[in-house]
Amino acid sequence: MTGPDGSPAAPGRVLVLSAPVGEGHVAAARALATRMRALWPEARVREVEHTGRGGPWRDALLKGSYAVTMRVAPRAYGFGYDLLVRQPRLAELFKELAAGRFGRALEPLLMAEQPDLVVSTYPMISGGLAWLRRHERLPAHTVAVVTDVAVHPFWVWPDLDETWTLLPASQEQARSVAPGADIRVVPAAVDPIFRPGDQAGARTATGLRADAFVVLVSGGSLGFGGIERLVDAVAAAGTDVQVVALCGRNERLRTRLQARDLPPERLVVQGWTDRIPELIAAADVVLTTAGGMIATETLAVGRPVLFAAPVPGHGRAGAEMMAAAGLALLCPRPSDVTAAIRRLCHDPAELAALGRRAAEFGRRDLDAELAALSDRI
């Protein structure tokens, strides 16, 4: 899209679509919308955080089934993920069935908005957009933003104009699903508030120890992945370690951790909070079981990431890919967590090297990519 003088012009109407199935999809959409409004002040940028007509019941079902599966039977989720990756024909069958449902549900919204640009951060929504494109009901430029490092088949829809991935390895994975699709490696969709900051100041602001090795532990918005065992594993690394456990919306986890016989100098238990950027800046490392947004937000702040016993499926696959890229350490067992924390406590050179690689990843310019996108519309 170009202006009267031939220079890139902002799109007039933009739809940024996500679904509340895990906070990562919504967080990425909000981050993109925030950056678009700053970059394109004359554009009408609207965020929609549901899957279209009939969305409330469908979104509640998707969110509830995902949460129950990850808490009760995570191996079943991992089995389903691996099955779709290894059986592309089966994946295409399920994709086709889902795409039509979501496409019909999204069509009234698209007809009412008449956008120039549609961006999706949720794979099922991307499938609905692809179905509409195949049926010539979607003239807008469409972009699917993959919020995980690992790219499963439902993320990639060749009918869409672009698919954004996080790493070259992610790009290759997406191309194996759809060889003819336009797959790009693009900076992570994180809010601009996630940026390098003063660690000492962040510790003062959050009340954390100035003299400790601070480890921020996260199991995502749902607090899954055996967080209690991992908190114990981090604490076992020594008395000079302070653990900050993010419980998200998991109040049961928060209650159980608060019952631990550890003083706040050793363990801080945190429920749902909007102070994540400060807490990441205050930490020496961030340990997560989930990956996704917390990992990319951590890298944007320039802090090292440790994946501990990552959840099956996309969590484990993404952790392995980030470790292979030198952006994280992978700790399959709690004992590995304890060993890694002890090593990083006493080896500032290794910690600094991880921090440098994180900072290099975080310095990539998402705003420049959005500016280039406007020229492709």
Side-chain angles (χ1 to χ4, degrees):
M1 181 176 288
T2 57
D5 61 351
S7 62
R13 290 173 174 263
V14 182
L15 267 181
V16 184
L17 305 179
S18 65
V21 185
E23 295 294 328
H25 303 291
V26 173
R30 291 175 180 172
L32 286 164
T34 296
R35 290 176 179 272
M36 288 173 177
R37 291 187 182 108
L39 192 63
W40 304 326
E42 297 180 0
R44 180 181 183 274
V45 180
R46 182 185 174 194
E47 296 171 66
V48 176
E49 297 175 3
H50 61 74
T51 54
R53 183 175 53 200
W57 68 264
R58 185 188 306 107
D59 297 348
L61 178 62
L62 288 168
K63 182 176 182 178
S65 60
Y66 176 71
V68 169
T69 301
M70 295 308 295
R71 284 177 178 162
V72 177
R75 290 184 180 179
Y77 175 83
F79 174 79
Y81 176 94
D82 293 339
L83 182 65
L84 292 177
V85 170
R86 294 169 182 169
Q87 301 292 332
R89 290 185 180 179
L90 182 63
E92 288 302 319
L93 173 62
F94 284 122
K95 286 174 67 174
E96 187 62 29
L97 292 173
R101 288 179 175 270
F102 282 85
R104 294 183 185 93
L106 289 166
E107 187 170 17
L109 171 66
L110 274 296
M111 292 293 290
E113 292 292 324
Q114 295 293 308
D116 303 300
L117 170 65
V118 184
V119 177
S120 166
T121 64
Y122 183 59
M124 297 296 191
I125 289 177
S126 299
L129 297 175
W131 185 87
L132 289 170
R133 171 62 59 79
R134 285 200 300 273
H135 290 80
E136 300 183 347
R137 301 180 195 176
L138 180 61
H141 194 87
T142 55
V143 180
V145 177
V146 183
T147 58
D148 292 319
V149 172
V151 184
H152 62 72
F154 272 80
W155 275 118
V156 187
W157 304 85
D159 303 278
L160 303 186
D161 295 294
E162 302 179 25
T163 299
W164 289 5
T165 60
L166 291 170
L167 295 174
S170 311
Q171 182 186 46
E172 290 306 310
Q173 202 171 39
R175 283 175 173 164
S176 70
V177 176
D182 184 357
I183 313 292
R184 298 170 181 263
V185 178
V186 175
V190 299
D191 193 285
I193 62 175
F194 290 95
R195 59 183 181 272
D198 175 48
Q199 187 179 62
R203 290 196 181 184
T204 299
T206 54
L208 299 177
R209 286 171 56 188
D211 63 338
F213 189 91
V214 175
V215 181
L216 187 65
V217 178
S218 170
S221 62
L222 301 175
F224 51 58
I227 295 299
E228 291 173 86
R229 291 184 299 116
L230 297 177
V231 166
D232 292 341
V234 174
T239 57
D240 53 347
V241 174
Q242 185 178 34
V243 189
V244 182
L246 297 178
C247 301
R249 302 189 188 279
N250 192 333
E251 286 300 315
R252 291 182 180 179
L253 172 63
R254 183 181 181 184
T255 300
R256 291 195 299 268
L257 287 176
Q258 285 175 332
R260 287 285 200 277
D261 188 23
L262 284 174
E265 292 78 17
R266 297 292 320 284
L267 173 62
V268 176
V269 181
Q270 179 69 63
W272 187 257
T273 177
D274 59 0
R275 303 189 71 181
I276 301 297
E278 288 177 283
L279 290 168
I280 294 176
D284 288 290
V285 299
V286 174
L287 185 148
T288 178
T289 62
M293 285 301 294
I294 188 68
T296 52
E297 288 165 351
T298 298
L299 294 174
V301 178
R303 295 291 183 266
V305 176
L306 272 67
F307 287 102
V311 295
H314 69 283
R316 185 177 298 157
E320 291 172 351
M321 291 170 69
M322 289 190 74
L327 294 171
L329 294 181
L330 181 57
C331 303
R333 300 176 302 274
S335 59
D336 299 322
V337 170
T338 304
I341 297 299
R342 283 177 178 161
R343 191 174 70 250
L344 293 174
C345 278
H346 299 98
D347 188 352
E350 182 181 2
L351 182 66
L354 282 169
R356 283 194 299 272
R357 290 193 289 271
E360 290 170 4
F361 180 90
R363 277 196 296 268
R364 298 189 303 173
D365 193 348
L366 178 60
D367 291 340
E369 189 62 47
L370 289 171
L373 171 63
S374 69
D375 198 30
R376 297 196 294 268
I377 299 174

